Each structure stands twice: as C-alpha cells, then as structure tokens.
Amino acid sequence: MRIIMLGAPGAGKGTQALLLSKKFNIPQISTGDIFRMHIKNKTELGKKAKEYMDKGLLVPDDLVVEIVKNRLIEEDCKNGFILDGFPRTIPQAEELDKALEEMGIKLDKAINVNVPDDNIIVRMAGRRVCKKCGASYHIKYNKPSQEGICDECGSNLVQRDDDKEETVKKRLNVYHEQTRPLIEYYEKMGILLTVDGVGDVDEINNRIQKALEVNK
Ligand code: AMP
C-alpha cells in the first residue's frame, strides 16, 4: 500500500497514519517529525525549517521534496509507505508524482481526514506529543494510559510550540490556501477517499479501514 494522508493540521492524520502503518507493516513518513528531529539535532536544515515552523508557515517546497525523495528510496519503503503531512502544496504533489514515476510506482490512495475548523482549534489546544518518538495524544480524546507519559516509549509528553492558539489559526489559513487544493488534485486522479474525522480514534480508524476495503 502506498498511501498519503490529507487533512488540516490537528485533524488526526498522524494518529491514523501510525495505526495504518502498524496494520500494513509499512513506514509512516511524517515530514513534520523529520523537521522536528533536525531541529532537535540542531542541523542546518533544522535551523532553516524552524524559522518557518515557528511562524506557522510551510517550509519551502524544495527543502521538503528532497527529504521525501531520499526517504522513499530507502529499503523499508519497498512494500509501501504512508506519507503523513506531505504533500502540502500542489508543486509538492507534482514533484512526488514525478519521483514515483521515475521509481516505476504509483500511489494507491489519498485519505482525506475531514474535520471542521472549529473542532480543530479545540483539538490542537489539547494535543500532546512525545518528545522522543513523536507519538500524538489528546488530553481528552486520546489519553495515554498514564498522564503525561508516552505509551509507545515512556518519554514525557509536551505541547508543540506551533500548537499554541495563534499559530494554529495561522496554520489553518495556510492549510486552506495551500493544502486544501490537493483534495481536488487527488480526486481528479481517482484515488481520493474522504473520511469523516470527527469522533474517537478507533471509530475513525474503522471508517478508514472500511473505506479502504470497499474501494480496493
Ligand atoms: P506537521 O507535524 O505535519 O503538522 O508539520 C509541522 C510543520 O512542519 C508545518 O506547520 C510546516 O511548517 C512544516 N512542514 C511539515 N511538512 C511540510 C510540508 N510537506 N511542506 C512544508 N512544510 C511542512
């Protein structure tokens, strides 16, 4: 399976991507996580990306595209992958198409996790992420077994700097202007599945699995 996840920031696409990645045993590739890792390791790329991320803006296409291209040729992507947070602009989608064509492969599905803006703002305020492995939780809707501690790796959970309310609003604007047009892009390609993203994590996961089953 070669899947991309679409949806506004905070729509829960990362959480769903992780579940699908476990189910299909394929890697989840989150460009946001890759950038956060670079920031943590204080690399040149991390420094550049942080300038944009802290403002709620998108990192320039050329930087993102290179990272993804290099990642997709790794061995563990042979049987498939889930792109989470990429592509986020039409030029990124076009570059991805070109790269996949050169590799002789195609995307199977683009899963659009659909959540209204009002819900997103509430969700982002309660989102907590693991500093170490990037797993994502919600203080109300997707609680870890032990408060403040990651179920996956036992590290501390924190609020992301760019999940603060003002930045969230900016990120939503950026989503509507630059990322939402991708829904039509993949619809035209005939691989779009839109799933209602309101509800609890398992419920949404079931909807996604059903949609994949029905649209094989
Ligand atoms: P995410 O964890 O997917 O919400 O990404 C966090 C931030 O990383 C975004 O707000 C962007 O600043 C940056 N970012 C992640 N993926 C991309 C992408 N495909 N294109 C541009 N910027 C990105």
Side-chain angles (χ1 to χ4, degrees):
M1 274 284 208
R2 298 185 187 95
I3 298 175
I4 65 170
M5 302 297 292
L6 296 174
K13 56 183 186 310
T15 305
Q16 295 301 330
L18 180 66
L19 293 174
L20 292 175
S21 137
K22 286 181 179 163
K23 179 176 161 68
F24 294 116
N25 198 20
I26 49 179
Q28 168 194 11
I29 302 171
S30 157
T31 41
D33 282 351
I34 295 174
F35 286 135
R36 281 184 286 277
M37 192 188 75
H38 278 274
I39 291 172
K40 202 167 138 193
N41 296 335
K42 299 192 164 59
T43 68
E44 253 335 284
L45 177 64
K47 262 186 234 159
K48 275 191 207 159
K50 191 171 177 355
E51 279 175 38
Y52 297 91
M53 289 168 75
D54 284 350
K55 293 186 191 131
L57 298 173
L58 294 183
V59 176
D61 289 339
D62 52 341
L63 292 182
V64 192
V65 168
E66 270 316 296
I67 290 179
V68 175
K69 277 193 191 168
N70 289 331
R71 181 67 186 85
L72 291 180
I73 54 176
E74 283 181 37
E75 185 66 23
D76 63 339
C77 292
K78 253 195 166 156
N79 295 324
F81 50 78
I82 303 177
L83 284 170
D84 162 20
F86 179 93
R88 256 181 161 100
T89 64
I90 297 277
Q92 287 181 18
E94 289 170 347
E95 286 297 322
L96 175 64
D97 286 347
K98 258 195 256 167
L100 294 179
E101 201 182 319
E102 278 166 22
M103 293 165 74
I105 54 180
K106 271 190 181 160
L107 288 173
D108 294 299
K109 296 288 175 225
I111 301 172
N112 175 31
V113 183
N114 189 27
V115 178
D117 281 7
D118 290 353
N119 279 33
I120 298 270
I121 294 175
V122 175
R123 281 194 194 196
M124 300 279 255
R127 175 154 81 173
R128 298 293 179 271
V129 295
C130 175
K131 262 175 123 168
K132 194 168 167 212
C133 75
S136 190
Y137 300 87
H138 192 281
I139 51 173
K140 199 165 155 206
Y141 305 115
N142 183 22
K143 290 182 186 173
S145 325
Q146 201 186 334
E147 195 184 317
I149 306 290
C150 180
D151 288 347
E152 303 287 326
C153 74
S155 302
N156 287 335
L157 302 180
V158 294
Q159 182 171 42
R160 268 166 50 176
D161 287 339
D162 60 350
D163 277 352
K164 309 276 154 74
E165 190 168 333
E166 271 322 294
T167 319
V168 168
K169 287 186 178 155
K170 177 81 198 161
R171 290 168 69 200
L172 274 175
N173 283 339
V174 167
Y175 166 76
H176 285 290
E177 278 168 25
Q178 303 192 54
T179 308
R180 228 167 69 147
L182 290 176
I183 294 176
E184 203 186 319
Y185 184 92
Y186 289 109
E187 190 166 31
K188 280 191 183 141
M189 206 184 262
I191 62 166
L192 182 75
L193 295 179
T194 291
V195 173
D196 177 7
V198 179
D200 71 32
V201 172
D202 292 338
E203 210 176 331
I204 299 161
N205 187 244
N206 284 338
R207 285 180 203 145
I208 294 178
Q209 297 211 23
K210 262 190 208 139
L212 285 172
E213 192 58 36
V214 173
N215 296 282
K216 251 182 186 165

